[in-house]
Amino acid sequence: MLAAPPAESGETPSIDLEDTPYEVQGMDKIVRKTDMPPCPPDQVMTEQTTLLEKVAEFVQARMKVPRADGGLGFREFWIPQDDAKAKCSILLTDDWAATNKLLVVIQNASGAQMGIWSRSLALQMGLRTGSMLPYLERAVAEGYGIVVLRPNANSAFVAEEEDGPPVKMLIEGSSSPSEHALYVWDNVIAHAAAQQICLLGIGAGGALAKELLQREMVRVKEAGEGEVNRIAGICTIEASHMLDSDEPADTKDFLAQFAVNFDSSEAPKGFRLPSVALRLGCTTISLGPIPTEAEGNTGWSPSAALEGAFRFLAMSTRAEERTRNLGKKFARAEARAYDHDPAAAEYTPPGEEGEGA
């Protein structure tokens, strides 16, 4: 339970760890108190689950604090509606409908919690690494309205009768990750004033970003002459899948021109990864190797990609820089940002030579 009252009160939330063996270190990292004995093995899972719930509650409460009080100004939008028995929510900033730039955040991972990239890293390395807060703070500072999806919220346990046991019920409009993303696009994002929509897909969220791109392409075709694709760019991090074998040519072309993916790898940060680019259909940039303390967890990658991701989004939304081959143009700029020769900053893992381009 959070120590702070609801966000609309205007007070900044904090994590209430008073009744736990943990404390906050450095305003970001949660550590076990030095005078506490180790947790008994049979209680580790319960203790970690409780702690993670507190962290997720804190992050979401921080998101909902009004801008006037130093917060991010998010509010909930319910799918299919607030009074539905089975429902889920997304979070959007209070200016989402009016800003010219809109950032859509799409994380699709089993068990993911709103506002958290990685539950384990939020505890091991701190909220600056394990949560979305740095991205959301940066996006607000750069003038984006923001919509954060919750694609993995597909069912809820509800009591069909007043005294009856709860039963699992699919959420209308969100019974699958794909249905969730398309419902939000059709019922929320499509009504935004933004002429520059940027998609940020994490992991399997990359495939959902592609689906939203295709939805927008259909709208443009149906609207006829004069309509433009409002998606300015797609940035993915550790995308697991993007292209299908029967992908339409216009989808392939957009991804090749206006999408960039960031992946952890053995290559230096800023190098191109052509073998991954071939699989995904878009320019892919190395984030460097995952540090030892992250224990191989790719949930570290969003924090490592922060600066590069916003450099790409900036190029996507500046008319003078948004030209065809934007992905390749960005790759050259990113190589120079890390003092690499753009012509030589390319890495293909041993055994994969000849597979990438």
Side-chain angles (χ1 to χ4, degrees):
M1 181 177 179
L2 293 172
E8 55 266 23
S9 71
E11 295 185 29
T12 302
S14 60
I15 306 177
D16 177 14
L17 300 175
E18 185 175 349
D19 298 323
T20 76
Y22 291 87
E23 61 186 0
V24 178
Q25 183 182 80
M27 302 297 292
D28 174 55
K29 192 173 182 179
I30 299 171
V31 299
R32 194 171 189 85
K33 295 173 183 174
T34 55
D35 59 348
M36 294 296 296
C39 180
D42 62 341
Q43 296 178 25
V44 169
M45 185 67 71
T46 299
E47 184 176 291
Q48 290 288 301
T49 299
T50 300
L51 185 58
L52 285 168
E53 288 175 354
K54 289 178 178 289
V55 171
E57 288 173 1
F58 164 76
V59 170
Q60 292 170 39
R62 173 77 177 87
M63 292 168 68
K64 294 175 185 177
V65 172
R67 301 257 183 106
D69 298 303
L72 296 170
F74 280 85
R75 59 185 176 85
E76 290 183 309
F77 176 91
W78 291 95
I79 301 172
Q81 61 263 339
D82 188 20
D83 58 356
K85 284 187 175 181
K87 62 184 180 179
C88 70
S89 68
I90 61 172
L91 290 178
L92 20 72
T93 50
D94 50 17
D95 60 354
W96 74 271
T99 55
N100 187 54
K101 298 190 301 183
L102 187 67
L103 179 64
V104 182
V105 182
I106 315 164
Q107 181 186 23
N108 181 26
S110 178
Q113 292 178 290
M114 173 68 79
I116 304 292
W117 297 133
S118 168
R119 292 171 294 179
S120 58
L121 291 185
L123 298 182
Q124 293 172 17
M125 299 182 70
L127 295 179
R128 307 309 295 178
T129 298
S131 84
M132 294 182 188
L133 289 176
Y135 273 80
L136 304 179
E137 291 163 359
R138 180 71 167 267
V140 166
E142 295 194 6
Y144 291 89
I146 312 170
V147 178
V148 183
L149 276 59
R150 202 192 299 253
N152 60 305
N154 308 129
S155 61
F157 284 91
V158 300
E160 293 186 314
E161 300 178 4
E162 186 173 342
D163 297 322
V167 296
K168 188 176 182 179
M169 182 181 295
L170 291 176
I171 298 171
E172 180 184 349
S174 186
S175 63
S176 69
S178 177
E179 184 181 53
H180 175 97
L182 294 174
Y183 182 95
V184 174
W185 184 270
D186 292 341
N187 293 277
V188 180
I189 300 169
H191 303 290
Q195 293 303 303
Q196 296 174 316
I197 300 175
C198 296
L199 308 182
L200 176 65
I202 312 300
L208 295 180
K210 182 198 69 177
E211 289 191 43
L212 297 186
L213 167 66
Q214 292 174 327
R215 188 70 129 210
E216 174 68 355
M217 286 178 161
V218 168
R219 182 196 69 80
V220 171
K221 288 179 181 178
E222 291 178 346
E225 188 176 352
E227 283 295 316
V228 296
N229 185 344
R230 294 192 296 162
I231 296 179
I234 298 176
C235 178
T236 62
I237 301 170
E238 300 284 359
S240 53
H241 177 75
M242 293 278 275
L243 286 179
D244 293 318
S245 58
D246 58 348
E247 212 67 75
D250 57 355
T251 300
K252 291 181 179 179
D253 182 66
F254 186 98
L255 294 177
Q257 305 299 333
F258 302 112
V260 162
N261 176 65
F262 292 90
D263 255 23
S264 57
S265 80
E266 293 305 310
K269 192 170 187 177
F271 267 47
R272 299 185 304 281
L273 302 176
S275 59
V276 182
L278 182 65
R279 174 172 57 85
L280 297 178
C282 66
T283 298
T284 297
I285 307 294
S286 173
L287 295 170
I290 298 174
T292 303
E293 59 267 31
E295 300 178 347
N297 189 338
T298 56
W300 162 85
S301 297
S303 64
L306 177 66
E307 295 300 328
F310 276 95
R311 281 194 289 266
F312 174 70
L313 296 178
M315 291 179 70
S316 300
T317 54
R318 285 199 291 259
E320 67 275 15
E321 293 196 70
R322 192 183 183 276
T323 59
R324 286 186 65 80
N325 293 317
L326 178 65
K328 293 180 179 179
K329 179 181 177 180
F330 171 75
R332 291 191 295 270
E334 201 69 354
R336 287 191 290 267
Y338 293 99
D339 297 323
H340 305 313
D341 174 3
E346 182 173 289
Y347 173 80
T348 299
E352 295 184 15
E353 292 85 351
E355 296 182 20

